[in-house]
Amino acid sequence: MSSQGQFGFAEMREWEHAAIEDVKVAEVVFNLPLERPYTYSIPEPLRDLIKPGQRVKAPLGRSNRIVVGYCVAIRPGESGQKRLKPIEELLDSEPLLNGQMLELTRWIGERYLCGWGQVLDSVIPAGVRKKSGTREVQNFILVPGTEEKLTSARLSRQQKMVIEVLQKSTGPVTATDLCERAGCSPGPLKSLQERGLIKAMRIRSEISGDDLLPVQQQADLKLNVQQQQALDRILQPIRASEHETLLLHGVTGSGKTEVYIRAIREVVSYGRQAIVLVPEISLTPQTIRRFRSRFSTVAVLHSHMTDAERHWQWQQISSGEIQVVVGARSAVFAPTPNLGLIVIDEEHEPSFKQDSTPRYHAREVARKRCLDERVPLILGSATPTLESWIRATRKLDVLVSMPSRVEDRPLPPVVVVDTRSDPRISKGSAIGRALYGAIDRALKDKGQVILFLNLRGYSPTVWCRSCGAGIKCPNCDITLTWHRDRQCVVCHSCDYEITPPKACPTCQSPAVRYLGTGTQKLDEEVQNTFPNATVIRMDSDSMQKPGSHDEALEKFRKGEVQILLGTQMIAKGLDFPNVTLVGVIDADTMLRQPDLRAAERTFQLIAQVAGRTGRGERGGRVLVQTTSPNDPAVKFASKHDFIGFAQHELAERYDTQAPPFSSVARVIFRGPDEMRTRQTAQAVADRLRSARRDATEVVRVLGAAPAPITRLRGLWRFHLQIAAKTPELVKELWQSAEQSLSLPDDVEFAIDVDPINAR
Ligand code: ADP
Ligand code: ZN
Ligand code: ZN
């Protein structure tokens, strides 16, 4: 149609034709790294059925192979449009997600430079996608939150039996089972259902009913002045139905969780739902119990749920019956119908960034979602990321501070011990003289001890004394770790495992030695040094059985164990009043990483482990062993001075214009052939640099260079980085070059926007 409103005859006819039939077309995205949707015609029988958010099957590409995709929009067709291929089949009767969530996933594709369809495929749980074609069974549960109603309700004997069976069971019970166990006909089920005391649901398989066990409800604590002030500030945007991002910077033990709970209570009182994101590692029964004891309907989303469980949770959440969703990163997509608030606890945790496509950061997704749904976002941490901190200091976000611990308990004193001339350590011990004395004293005083070491295995370095070579994994550029309990050496990247080599693979000398201390060796040393204490080790090797994590913590809580040692698994969220000493075996392991955030991580680690002590009346202290006692990250952490650290580190980052002063995208190339992979990376870097000249000067292209781990799982790795003031500039440059990229078949690339690990 011309803009003057004059049509030729043919155009007019086509337009009329379209208007009469109201011909609509469907836009469809596939699990491909493409931004733009494909357009399809909609066959007659599907016209009234198809909606955005449903999956379809449609022919793709020249071969017209039939592929599953997502319909993302229905719009009027354009006249004169060339013949479109038709949608082949509609897979869902209802949309899998609503318009708002569609928009959110579109945004993620744009922001993180991946395909919209790739995002949808990753965000919608497999159990939800697979729901068609599986046998469904009717199951019953007690209606959550009706405990009081039940005690006063007048029930027949058979009805009482049914309720009793449900109360005793740990999950939904099938109708058949229920009748059998209660010894009744389906009649009582029906009447209880009509009275709203039990309800039926359709699920496809057994779900673990742990999530449905009623928990004794507890009253809210009386907030102290600091908490009340923080809450008052958070309630402002909640009451005004506005979006604001609030950074709750509160030291460990300042009572942040209590503040979240009260903010959530307000939201729930409006009939809205809240989402609480926690790092996967803190999805412990302790955290979950805390939320369950305050809200009657809490859904927990773990990463190790079955498809059926996930599907069931997803349905419960979208029905609006859940008040609070607690989960790891992907819970940011929970389909709450009327969201009121998102909380991200420990917002500095790297697990909020996904490390496979789509490589989104849950904090940024939450920010976008909260903005669109006009609800507040709370970021909580004792050690915020510099990205979040700088936004708060620039007043882009709201800073809410809680500088003191609950009941004015002091933060524990942190002693930094220089281990360079320690007599015990120079003899091969992991525990130096000062730490030895401190453990000894803590145990004599009937206190408990936590020892932190970020290296698992027995000895993290296998080394040849004759030629000096480290013995590396044949697939990866990583030295092997000696696991003495299994009598093998293991690659911690690809799980390559062999019996310890008798001779050096480089020079054939038999002088193979094991160096350094991992958690297994530390465990042995602690048992030998303190034979009267009971020790428990927590790392991913010792905690493989489901539930072993909780079992170990329970023993520690009960005081059956005096010394808990482990990897970062124990640095988070634990709250044991009797812990009077925390030892960091080697702060250098973090500090020496070739990573922009090495200092930041070291600071966070020391501050977080320090948070594990001094929680009870007996106080506590922290001992940090390092060979860099004057490192700023170590020094500021020992003074609990986050603001000082942030200022220092931001000044350093400013000098090099590193994040958060710039936005970075890292492009990693992988391939089996070293030369070809290197050349491809270099060619793309050159291509970007030449595209930059006519774009803008403020975009920098660094590399290509070998990635820090140059070989991983048998593939060579090279990377380049695009850095600019804003993510938009980075994206512009990438997209300007992307179209003309041609890669050899055996080289693939992955793009990581705002990367947080430098491997
Ligand atoms: P954070 O999340 O900041 O580390 P928590 O919310 O876990 O702190 O609180 C630390 C401890 O203090 C918990 O045991 C909690 O029950 C307790 N606590 C929190 N707020 C109060 C309060 N107002 N009165 C008494 N105890 C509190
Ligand atoms: Zn050798
Ligand atoms: Zn390997």
Side-chain angles (χ1 to χ4, degrees), residues 24 118 156 178 198 309 313 367 406 437 456 491 600 615 620 715 719 725 735 741:
K24 297 229 166 96
Q118 289 179 307
S156 72
L178 198 49
I198 70 172
E309 284 172 320
Q313 293 280 31
R367 197 191 288 281
V406 166
R456 62 193 177 89
C491 169
E600 192 176 352
R615 286 181 167 249
L715 297 178
H719 70 165
K725 268 275 170 235
Q735 286 178 337
L741 290 187

Side-chain angles (χ1 to χ4, degrees), residues 3 25 73 97 103 107 133 188 205 247 276 294-295 299 306 309 377 425 457-458 506 686 758:
S3 52
V25 296
L97 69 182
E103 163 56 17
W107 177 87
S205 66
L247 177 62
V276 183
R294 302 301 191 79
F295 297 96
T306 64
E309 284 172 320
L377 167 64
I425 287 183
Y458 192 85
T506 311
D686 292 343

Side-chain angles (χ1 to χ4, degrees), residues 13 62 78 210 221 561 573 576 654:
R13 284 204 37 189
R62 253 184 238 141
E78 287 149 31
D210 233 25
L221 299 173
V561 168
F576 300 116
Y654 184 82

Side-chain angles (χ1 to χ4, degrees), residues 464-469 471 503-509 511:
C464 168
R465 215 180 68 177
S466 188
C467 74
I471 297 177
C504 165
T506 311
C507 73
Q508 272 70 51
S509 149

Side-chain angles (χ1 to χ4, degrees), residues 221 223-228 230 248-260 290 345 380-382 400-409 411 575 611-612 615:
L221 299 173
L223 297 187
N224 63 31
V225 175
Q226 179 180 268
Q227 286 171 314
Q228 188 62 50
L248 180 58
H249 175 221
V251 295
T252 54
S254 56
K256 294 185 287 296
T257 311
E258 263 333 288
V259 175
Y260 308 147
R290 204 155 163 196
D345 190 29
S381 178
V400 180
S401 298
M402 299 211 296
S404 331
R405 279 188 164 180
V406 166
E407 288 165 3
D408 280 323
R409 280 176 206 139
L411 282 161
D575 184 359
R612 303 306 123 229
R615 286 181 167 249

